[in-house]
Amino acid sequence: MAHGESPREIPAESCEMDDHLLGWLKTLDEERLTRVLANRPDAIAPPWPRRLDTLAQRLSAGPAVSAVLRGLPLPSLEVAQAALALGDGVDLEALARFMGVPEAETAPWVDLLFDHALAWPDDEGRIRIAGGVARWWTAPCGLGEPLTHYLNSWTVSADALRALARTLGLPNGQKRQTIAKITEVLSDPGRLAALLERAPKGTRQLLDEFAWDGPARDVDGGRFVLPGSPQKWASDHGLLFRPGWNAAEMPREVALALRGPDYHPPFTPAPPDLATVPVDPEAVDHLMTLAAPHVVERCAAMLENTAKVPLPLLKAGGVGVREVRRLAKDTGCDEDETRLLLEICAVARLLAWDDSAGGLVPTEKFDRWRLDDAAARLRVLLSAWWRMERSSLRRVDGKYGTVLGDDPAGTMVARARRAVLGVLARLPASTACADRAGLVGSAHWHAPLLDQPLLGECAPAVLEEAGMLGLIAYDTITDLGRALAALQAAGDENDDSTPLVENDPALVECSTRALASVRRSALFGADLTAVVTGPPSAELAELLDRAADRESRGAASVWRFSPVSVRRAMDAGCSAEDLLADLAEVGTVPQPLEYLVRDVARRHGEVTVSTVACIVQASDPVLLAEIAGHRRLGRLGLRLLAPTVLASAMPAGKTLAALRENGYAPVPIEDTGEITVRRARIEEPRGGRLILLPGGRVAEFEQPPYSLFETPPDPHEHAQRLLSAEGDAARQNGRTWAVIGRMASRLPTAQQSLLGFVVDRGVRAAITLTDGLTATISHGELHSGMLDAWCEEAGDYLEFPLADIVEVRGAYA
């Protein structure tokens, strides 16, 4: 069974199919309709439908059907293919017989299709498959079109049809009868076997290739006109048809007859076995509480670093290996962690390209993010990873891809991530996966439309990335990972409508617990060390990273203060008093540390460097004369302009570095004479224009026609509304134009007609009321002189008096 991830594009469903679906929806009770709505949240997304006919259109929409199919397990798709192969006339008994299993084994999977509105029973109990599902498979079960498709074709003349009947030994009759008799003969395995006994040598082998390896194959067209050849014999007997000179196809009935009565399509009702081992839940929980705060802390450190040193992109797009290594070294992360965090921050809109900076820098969203509580910051990162369409640690041919570069797999990577984590979430608590190959097989059973080799590439990367984020520990899912895996609505990488993920109650509770053990205080030692006995909070880590060098991390982290590290904090604009006050807030500052800070502060700023290419100033003429005569500073070309002013031939940056290398402690100043600290910022993009990755490309995002954050209605309550509204809709039909013509008297006839289409066809329009209020509306209904319609500005259904509407004009998305 082929489950390619690139099916043909699904067009809009026919009116006839919508009518069949609508007829079935009208027969559903409240409980069954609730199940359909719960399984198809796309069908009740804003603006949610208020009539069953509108719901039927939503349910049968091609893209929506495609998304639902990707979430169904393998047995449902196998059952759907088998039903398609047998045609619309199949019932549950015939379907089970064709698959070679009892009805009880196929019934649950057929019901699952019903509950997702991908199939439904007609009045006679036959199974009808949605047209969007049929277009996923050009050849269900490897079978082609039915015989009637070829025999009713305009390419088969009446004379050709009579000739085929004569060849098969059938009497001539009306076209319909002749087609039925031909189909009966070629569908019977026994009669077909008897027919093949008279066939030329090699015919059976030729036909078996078509029957088992695909209904359509490339052929040598000349063989089909060569007398006595297997190809011509098969064509003359209606076993093969040629849509083109070098192409041939085998009808469905012929292929099934050749496969024989013992053939049954594949059916896999249970997932493959997955080897597991028990694991200590306390150890898993402990690793989660270490990893979660660590990722928040390191993200903040990495973004602060890019604010000071913008991250350049390669000409081909993405971040180069050298920059990744430099950033990892500067922030104390390993390279894999840096790769992952860069990808996540780009998707979370915390990092973006800035033309003036010439690289990637934090956005203003980062400034808001860092002010949130730690649990909220963590959820932003997890939400970005959940919908991220690249895998930073996936190896292709043994190599990592470019960080933030293009990935042709795109959305399939995100689906693979969710499939792998979903399998782990289904394991019993305190149970770890012990079989990576089995994990891939089980993930493919749950998401069969994903490419299995891609799953095999992504699975190890998913486990590594999830481990860094605190979602997996010891190959078992943590409570945090289980809460994330339970979220079905993730959105795509360019989707900003993520509050449903970031504000999910279960995820909020787990993220808060995962960060409950963070430490906000440190133990300062007389040996100039600071020890944090547990995961440090992001704020504590930022403070200590600013003024000290981290020596170790893990269950306990150790920082060491030195003159160089303290001077680094002062170079960033921190005074001695501010630094000591900040340290005192997180612990007791010992006397040696206070002496160190004050001693560095005493010398800090004795020398200042201006950027006027460049000037070195000092208040002490003796000190300045010493610098001017220093042999190791000769390359700067220093010359004395005044007793307290030196001119340097080198830029300010190189002059600063040279002075510091030789034991001085200069600080840069602006032309105003003030010591400043540069921090790159970019304004949050407006109007939907974002310069994002991969490759730093410019992406245009259209503004949605309605509020992205509106929560769909409760499925059970909405099912009640739909069923109760059905009678009202029937009574309203035919009254639209009369009511609008009488009540909307301020409107000209053309605008009254447009308003009628808003009611009868759900079209989109803009209206203006007598008080000047404007609104963009759709999906209207009439109630007692009021137009009850979806208002995009309000994100809800509102009532507008018909008599107060003074203008209606078309609105285009």
Side-chain angles (χ1 to χ4, degrees):
M1 173 174 168
H3 300 299
E5 183 62 26
S6 300
R8 297 182 298 176
E9 183 180 355
I10 300 176
E13 301 305 318
S14 66
C15 293
E16 181 183 358
M17 185 60 70
D18 284 347
D19 289 343
H20 286 307
L21 176 56
L22 176 58
W24 175 66
L25 290 175
K26 289 180 178 180
T27 67
L28 298 185
D29 58 20
E30 186 178 302
E31 180 183 354
R32 190 64 181 266
L33 183 57
T34 298
R35 288 210 302 271
V36 172
L37 297 180
N39 288 324
R40 294 291 300 272
D42 57 286
I44 52 175
W48 42 83
R50 297 189 295 181
R51 300 195 302 265
L52 288 178
D53 57 345
T54 310
L55 176 64
Q57 293 173 4
R58 286 277 192 99
L59 291 171
S60 59
V65 170
S66 303
V68 176
L69 281 172
R70 294 189 187 100
L72 291 182
L74 181 59
S76 287
L77 302 190
E78 291 172 332
V79 166
Q81 281 206 78
L84 287 171
L86 293 177
D88 276 342
V90 64
D91 57 19
L92 185 59
E93 181 183 358
L95 179 63
R97 185 167 58 250
F98 178 53
M99 303 195 76
V101 295
E103 284 186 45
E105 288 193 30
T106 58
W109 304 109
V110 173
D111 281 341
L112 190 61
L113 294 174
F114 291 171
D115 286 344
H116 286 79
L118 300 178
W120 53 87
D122 62 15
D123 295 339
E124 299 177 4
R126 296 173 300 182
I127 300 171
R128 287 190 173 273
I129 304 294
V133 176
R135 290 176 176 85
W136 270 91
W137 293 284
T138 56
C141 300
L143 299 170
E145 300 287 350
L147 262 168
T148 54
H149 170 80
Y150 300 100
L151 298 180
N152 280 319
S153 171
W154 64 270
T155 59
V156 177
S157 64
D159 290 340
L161 190 61
R162 285 193 291 270
L164 176 58
R166 285 195 301 271
T167 302
L168 296 175
L170 300 173
N172 287 326
Q174 294 182 347
K175 182 177 181 180
R176 182 178 298 177
Q177 295 174 340
T178 302
I179 290 177
K181 290 180 180 180
I182 292 173
T183 302
E184 181 183 351
V185 171
L186 298 183
S187 301
D188 188 327
R191 298 172 75 173
L192 183 58
L195 186 65
L196 288 174
E197 291 179 358
R198 305 192 300 271
K201 184 179 180 181
T203 302
R204 182 63 193 234
Q205 180 182 355
L206 169 70
L207 296 177
D208 280 346
E209 291 176 356
F210 277 88
W212 294 99
D213 298 330
R217 298 175 65 84
D218 294 331
V219 296
D220 180 359
R223 300 287 297 174
F224 279 80
V225 296
L226 184 64
S229 69
Q231 289 83 354
K232 179 170 174 49
W233 187 92
S235 179
D236 290 344
H237 288 76
L239 305 179
L240 294 177
F241 289 84
R242 284 196 302 157
W245 178 255
N246 291 322
E249 298 176 2
M250 176 175 283
R252 180 178 303 176
E253 293 85 350
V254 175
L256 285 173
L258 289 170
R259 292 182 184 183
D262 294 332
Y263 164 75
H264 302 292
F267 184 53
T268 318
D273 293 334
L274 181 60
T276 60
V277 293
V279 65
D280 181 7
E282 292 186 2
V284 172
D285 204 57
H286 177 66
L287 282 189
M288 177 186 74
T289 57
L290 288 179
H294 175 78
V295 72
V296 175
E297 170 215 325
R298 289 298 90 196
C299 256
M302 187 190 73
L303 289 166
E304 287 286 7
N305 184 275
T306 57
K308 299 171 185 174
V309 185
L311 202 59
L313 297 177
L314 301 171
K315 290 183 179 180
V319 180
V321 175
R322 182 180 299 176
E323 286 299 323
V324 172
R325 290 174 178 168
R326 192 269 307 165
L327 186 60
K329 181 179 178 181
D330 288 351
T331 57
C333 300
D334 60 39
E335 289 185 32
D336 287 352
E337 191 175 31
T338 303
R339 295 174 64 88
L340 175 62
L341 296 184
L342 280 173
E343 300 271 10
I344 289 176
C345 288
V347 176
R349 308 286 196 265
L350 300 175
L351 190 68
W353 175 267
D354 181 57
D355 286 323
S356 61
L360 298 172
V361 295
T363 65
E364 285 191 353
K365 183 177 179 181
F366 166 63
D367 295 312
R368 296 193 298 271
W369 175 82
R370 65 194 306 212
L371 295 177
D372 279 337
D373 63 88
R377 280 178 276 171
L378 176 63
R379 292 194 299 274
V380 169
L381 303 178
L382 295 182
S383 174
W385 180 76
W386 196 230
R387 67 184 192 274
M388 191 168 74
E389 295 175 4
R390 293 179 298 278
S391 176
S392 56
L393 302 184
R394 177 166 67 104
R395 286 184 169 87
V396 179
D397 298 328
K399 297 180 180 178
Y400 286 143
T402 303
V403 176
L404 298 174
D406 294 327
D407 191 335
T411 56
M412 290 185 287
V413 173
R415 294 177 194 141
R417 177 183 302 116
R418 296 168 200 163
V420 171
L421 210 66
V423 170
L424 295 177
R426 292 181 182 93
L427 294 177
S430 307
T431 303
C433 170
D435 179 13
R436 294 284 178 94
L439 176 63
V440 173
S442 186
H444 188 257
W445 187 89
H446 288 285
L449 293 178
L450 279 174
D451 182 58
Q452 195 159 6
L454 176 69
L455 270 172
E457 288 179 357
C458 289
V462 170
L463 296 180
E464 288 183 59
E465 293 172 11
M468 293 178 184
L469 297 173
L471 305 172
I472 289 176
Y474 302 117
D475 283 345
T476 189
I477 195 164
T478 65
D479 290 343
L480 192 62
R482 199 176 296 276
L484 186 64
L487 299 175
Q488 298 299 320
D492 59 33
E493 187 174 276
N494 294 326
D495 186 8
D496 285 327
S497 58
T498 57
L500 291 179
V501 175
E502 295 175 10
N503 297 324
D504 176 75
L507 191 61
V508 168
E509 188 274 330
C510 287
S511 61
T512 302
R513 189 166 62 83
L515 293 164
S517 62
V518 296
R519 298 291 186 266
R520 293 177 172 81
S521 61
L523 300 174
F524 295 105
D527 58 350
L528 300 179
T529 60
V531 179
V532 180
T533 58
S537 68
E539 295 78 10
L540 177 60
E542 187 276 331
L543 170 62
L544 296 178
D545 283 340
R546 190 195 329 155
D549 297 312
R550 192 182 301 221
E551 292 187 339
S552 67
R553 66 178 71 243
S557 301
V558 178
W559 281 263
R560 183 173 296 278
F561 294 88
S562 67
V564 173
S565 69
V566 174
R567 188 178 65 200
R568 182 177 66 228
M570 294 183 178
D571 289 342
C574 188
S575 67
E577 296 302 325
D578 289 342
L579 180 57
L580 289 172
D582 290 343
L583 294 176
E585 288 183 2
V586 298
T588 303
V589 180
Q591 202 171 52
L593 178 55
E594 183 178 355
Y595 286 164
L596 171 65
V597 171
R598 296 192 182 281
D599 184 60
V600 172
R602 182 177 55 80
R603 299 196 60 201
H604 190 263
E606 287 181 331
V607 179
T608 62
V609 175
S610 175
T611 57
V612 187
C614 76
I615 300 299
V616 181
Q617 304 174 65
S619 57
D620 185 354
V622 176
L623 174 61
L624 210 58
E626 176 190 323
I627 293 175
H630 201 297
R631 288 186 301 171
R632 292 186 179 179
L633 297 176
R635 66 181 186 276
L636 297 180
L638 297 173
R639 55 194 178 90
L640 196 64
L641 298 181
T644 58
V645 181
L646 281 175
S648 172
M650 302 297 288
K654 293 184 178 180
T655 302
L656 279 169
L659 290 172
R660 287 171 177 169
E661 286 175 4
N662 288 277
Y664 298 99
V667 294
I669 63 171
E670 294 293 340
D671 295 339
T672 60
E674 296 178 354
I675 298 175
T676 60
V677 179
R678 295 184 182 274
R679 188 178 189 283
R681 295 280 179 86
I682 65 170
E683 291 186 2
E684 184 124 358
R686 292 184 174 87
R689 183 177 184 274
L690 290 175
I691 300 180
L692 288 174
L693 305 175
R697 297 180 303 173
V698 176
E700 297 287 345
F701 298 98
E702 295 182 357
Q703 295 300 318
Y706 48 80
S707 172
L708 285 169
F709 306 140
E710 200 62 41
T711 304
D714 176 79
H716 182 257
E717 293 178 359
H718 200 60
Q720 292 176 329
R721 284 196 291 266
L722 285 169
L723 293 175
S724 63
E726 190 61 23
D728 296 338
R731 290 190 295 273
Q732 179 178 306
N733 284 343
R735 298 176 54 245
T736 300
W737 306 102
V739 172
I740 291 177
R742 185 176 71 254
M743 303 295 295
S745 56
R746 297 176 183 268
L747 298 176
T749 304
Q751 294 186 21
Q752 288 180 348
S753 298
L754 178 55
L755 197 59
F757 285 125
V758 172
V759 176
D760 283 353
R761 301 185 184 179
V763 301
R764 190 167 175 261
I767 63 172
T768 302
L769 304 181
T770 53
D771 59 1
L773 177 68
T774 61
T776 307
I777 61 170
S778 60
H779 302 85
E781 291 183 356
L782 300 177
H783 301 295
S784 303
M786 306 292 287
L787 173 65
D788 186 4
W790 177 265
C791 177
E792 294 178 5
E793 289 77 9
D796 203 349
Y797 283 97
L798 299 180
E799 289 187 341
F800 303 93
L802 286 171
D804 290 349
I805 301 176
V806 297
E807 184 184 12
V808 182
R809 58 192 181 277
Y812 305 96

